[in-house]
Amino acid sequence: MWEVDGPGRAGEHGERPVIRVYLLDDHELVRRGTRELLESQGDIVVVGESGLAQEAARRIPALRPDVAVLDQRLPDGSGVEVCRQVRSVDPAIAAVILTSYDEDEALFSAIMAGAAGYVLKQVRGNDFVETVRRVAAGQSMLDPAVTAQVLARLRDGPPEDSVTKHLTPKEHQVLDLVGEGLTNRQIAERLELAEKTVKNYVSTVLGKLGVESRTQAAIIATRQHETERRRPGGSSAGR
């Protein structure tokens, strides 16, 4: 929610290029720590920061940083979507997605949005600074093998969802109905099962998905439906 005036993009003024960075993270302490780390280097200046996606999408093109460091998960959106919006306005702005989660789907989305880097928050400080410097210089910090997987996915379509592939056909049905917001009693009526049996199915599904709540399972079900729709044939038949 603040910004500073500074030199132009890296290499535009002076003998020592100054790298201009914008920070997007909904945790103020994370932003403060990241800013202190970067600005302690001497050749990096943070020109602005915010904690909301929509605000960042408006301000980043105006500030024209060399690098935008974008948190993946935000209260009002995602860093990937901000990356897509910003680069549609100014492709010269390099984006680094900073996340706590190592997820194939998020990585795929980041690459498709034009991100130059995808970094876990557990990264060492020196490695993170090096990533910022390299993407500011026009380099990609994405593993070539990962890029190849993305190209293969574009060619062949999305793979089977690795989160739900271990569910039985009946468990898939239960998950779908949880995703529709049905209660155990309603699911029991729909599938002609005892309510206790449905309760056991739900517990099993939550365990296999590695989540603790029905809400989390419903989100996974929604993502699964989106994946199915994008596949050739777009059907979940055969479950």
Side-chain angles (χ1 to χ4, degrees):
M1 283 73 75
W2 62 274
E3 59 193 60
V4 300
D5 293 328
R9 294 192 172 189
E12 288 185 3
H13 296 287
E15 295 181 358
R16 187 181 188 187
V18 174
I19 301 171
R20 293 162 52 84
V21 174
Y22 190 97
L23 302 178
L24 169 60
D25 195 294
D26 60 325
H27 294 98
E28 182 183 357
L29 289 179
V30 173
R31 296 199 308 271
R32 182 180 302 175
T34 304
R35 182 174 72 244
E36 291 176 355
L37 169 66
L38 293 175
E39 294 193 329
S40 69
Q41 306 303 308
D43 62 334
I44 302 175
V45 59
V46 175
V47 297
E49 65 175 63
S50 59
L52 295 174
Q54 293 181 12
E55 179 185 20
R58 291 194 307 268
R59 296 177 61 213
I60 292 174
L63 290 171
R64 300 181 69 237
D66 301 294
V67 179
V69 178
L70 311 172
D71 189 12
Q72 162 63 8
R73 297 189 178 186
L74 298 157
D76 64 335
S78 73
V80 168
E81 184 56 34
V82 173
C83 173
R84 182 179 294 108
Q85 293 179 34
V86 167
R87 286 181 55 80
S88 70
V89 176
D90 189 346
I93 298 175
V96 174
I97 304 300
L98 189 61
T99 180
S100 301
Y101 308 93
D102 186 7
E103 299 176 344
D104 290 343
E105 185 68 25
L107 176 56
F108 173 80
S109 298
I111 294 174
M112 294 302 297
Y118 186 89
V119 179
L120 294 178
K121 289 186 177 179
Q122 295 90 328
V123 67
R124 295 193 312 174
N126 289 340
D127 292 337
F128 175 66
V129 171
E130 183 65 16
T131 294
V132 170
R133 287 197 176 111
R134 290 192 177 188
V135 299
Q139 300 179 34
S140 172
M141 295 302 293
L142 296 168
D143 189 328
V146 172
T147 303
Q149 291 177 7
V150 170
L151 293 175
R153 177 167 172 177
L154 287 173
R155 183 182 66 247
D156 303 331
E160 180 180 4
D161 193 312
S162 59
V163 178
T164 61
K165 68 180 181 180
H166 298 298
L167 300 183
T168 66
K170 184 64 72 176
E171 289 165 352
H172 268 296
Q173 286 184 301
V174 171
L175 176 61
D176 288 342
L177 296 175
V178 168
E180 293 179 18
L182 272 62
T183 65
N184 286 353
R185 176 173 297 180
Q186 291 170 325
I187 294 173
E189 294 174 354
R190 181 80 63 88
L191 299 181
E192 298 182 349
L193 296 172
E195 187 173 346
K196 183 177 181 180
T197 301
V198 171
K199 182 178 179 180
N200 291 336
Y201 269 122
V202 171
S203 296
T204 300
V205 168
L206 295 182
K208 286 187 176 182
L209 297 179
V211 299
E212 299 179 356
S213 72
R214 296 173 74 98
T215 300
Q216 291 171 304
I219 292 172
I220 292 175
T222 300
R223 290 181 55 189
Q224 177 70 8
H225 282 304
E226 290 297 320
T227 299
E228 293 288 346
R229 266 195 335 199
R230 290 195 297 266
R231 290 177 184 166
S235 164
S236 57
R239 285 185 181 174

